[in-house]
Amino acid sequence: YVHGLTDVVPVNNVVADTVGLLKDEIAEMLAGLSTVRLWVRLHMPRIEDGNNFGVVVQNEVLGMINTLYNSGMSFLRNLVNFFIKRGKILSKMRKRPNVKGYVTSLLDLDEKQYVTLVQSCCDLRNNYAFLFDKIRKNREKLVCPKGKTASHLNMY
């Protein structure tokens, strides 16, 4: 890192590349979650008494989808905070180029962000796996929450 008033402090390419990849993945995840949420909601039956276990399953899956969606949005908000903090440190480095602690602070911030990004990748993978598993195991209840025979009972 160079501190002169006219010198440019380079971006941490490892962090920047990882941020770019994760932002794309999270944007794709958010779009996919919106589609799955719509699919589950479109399969919800009208509200009536009895035989609501399938609806309970649907609501549980919707809860997982909402949690994962909110987690993705939170990740994107936290990226903004990282770049604001980094910018403040860089600004202080420009004002006081003789203070070596700013370089250490910047390196520590980048390292912390990288660890957070790696953990976010793991969380993203795990949450996808849990959601996929829940949908796969409960597909029948998600598609036909009242059961296959429920519609035949309403004939008379």
Side-chain angles (χ1 to χ4, degrees), residues 16-34 68-69 71-73 75-76 79 117 120-126 128:
D17 291 346
T18 307
V19 164
L21 287 171
L22 264 177
K23 279 174 64 175
D24 292 345
E25 288 294 323
I26 288 177
E28 188 175 323
M29 175 192 78
L30 294 174
L33 289 172
S34 291
L68 190 51
Y69 189 91
S71 176
M73 292 301 289
F75 172 82
L76 294 176
L79 278 180
L117 293 170
S120 293
C121 285
C122 293
D123 290 344
L124 181 64
R125 178 207 57 211
N126 293 345
Y128 262 136

Side-chain angles (χ1 to χ4, degrees), residues 8-149:
V8 176
V9 177
V11 172
N12 183 322
N13 289 327
V14 173
V15 171
D17 291 346
T18 307
V19 164
L21 287 171
L22 264 177
K23 279 174 64 175
D24 292 345
E25 288 294 323
I26 288 177
E28 188 175 323
M29 175 192 78
L30 294 174
L33 289 172
S34 291
T35 301
V36 173
R37 183 181 352 191
L38 176 64
W39 178 79
V40 172
R41 285 184 177 161
L42 289 174
H43 284 90
M44 288 190 130
R46 65 180 176 189
I47 298 172
E48 52 188 43
D49 291 335
N51 195 18
N52 288 326
F53 179 70
V55 177
V56 171
V57 172
Q58 286 177 321
N59 285 328
E60 186 175 328
V61 169
L62 284 174
M64 290 178 74
I65 291 169
N66 289 334
T67 298
L68 190 51
Y69 189 91
N70 291 336
S71 176
M73 292 301 289
S74 176
F75 172 82
L76 294 176
R77 279 190 298 275
N78 289 336
L79 278 180
V80 172
N81 294 335
F82 163 72
F83 288 116
I84 288 171
K85 285 179 188 176
R86 197 170 197 282
K88 286 180 181 180
I89 293 171
L90 290 171
S91 177
K92 290 177 182 181
M93 286 173 66
R94 294 258 185 230
K95 291 177 185 174
R96 297 187 182 101
N98 296 331
V99 178
K100 303 295 180 198
Y102 291 133
V103 173
T104 303
S105 179
L106 187 65
L107 293 173
D108 286 346
L109 181 67
D110 284 350
E111 185 176 319
K112 179 182 171 192
Q113 182 64 21
Y114 183 74
V115 169
T116 299
L117 293 170
V118 170
Q119 186 60 49
S120 293
C121 285
C122 293
D123 290 344
L124 181 64
R125 178 207 57 211
N126 293 345
N127 288 330
Y128 262 136
F130 291 140
L131 181 61
F132 175 77
D133 184 58
K134 179 72 81 174
I135 290 171
R136 185 179 53 84
K137 288 178 179 174
N138 295 287
R139 185 169 179 9
E140 186 175 316
K141 285 291 184 190
L142 291 168
V143 172
C144 193
K146 295 288 188 174
K148 293 179 182 177
T149 60

